[in-house]
Amino acid sequence: SIDATAFANYYKSGIAGTDGSYGAGATGTLTRRFGKLSAQGAVGVYSFSQPGQDTAVSVQALLGARYSF
């Protein structure tokens, strides 16, 4: 099976004189089953930015396997 998600958000703390921050990201997963063995792979990309600052980007990946008795 294949699954994908995406999100975006904005946060303002309410502290006087501060800017809000923006975040966005997306993830995707692929799961395959081979009888009692299943394997999963996932990738995510995340971004965070604030006015006047460099944008931070993070990429994460996961691989896994499972055997069911």
Side-chain angles (χ1 to χ4, degrees), residues 32-40 64-69:
R32 298 291 305 257
R33 289 184 174 76
F34 309 98
K36 292 186 173 194
L37 179 66
S38 63
Q40 182 175 28
R66 175 182 173 175
Y67 185 82
S68 299
F69 294 94

Side-chain angles (χ1 to χ4, degrees), residues 15-42:
I15 298 172
T18 61
D19 293 322
S21 60
Y22 302 91
T27 60
T29 60
L30 172 64
T31 303
R32 298 291 305 257
R33 289 184 174 76
F34 309 98
K36 292 186 173 194
L37 179 66
S38 63
Q40 182 175 28

Side-chain angles (χ1 to χ4, degrees), residues 7-22:
F7 69 89
N9 59 44
Y10 173 78
Y11 175 75
K12 179 122 175 95
S13 70
I15 298 172
T18 61
D19 293 322
S21 60
Y22 302 91

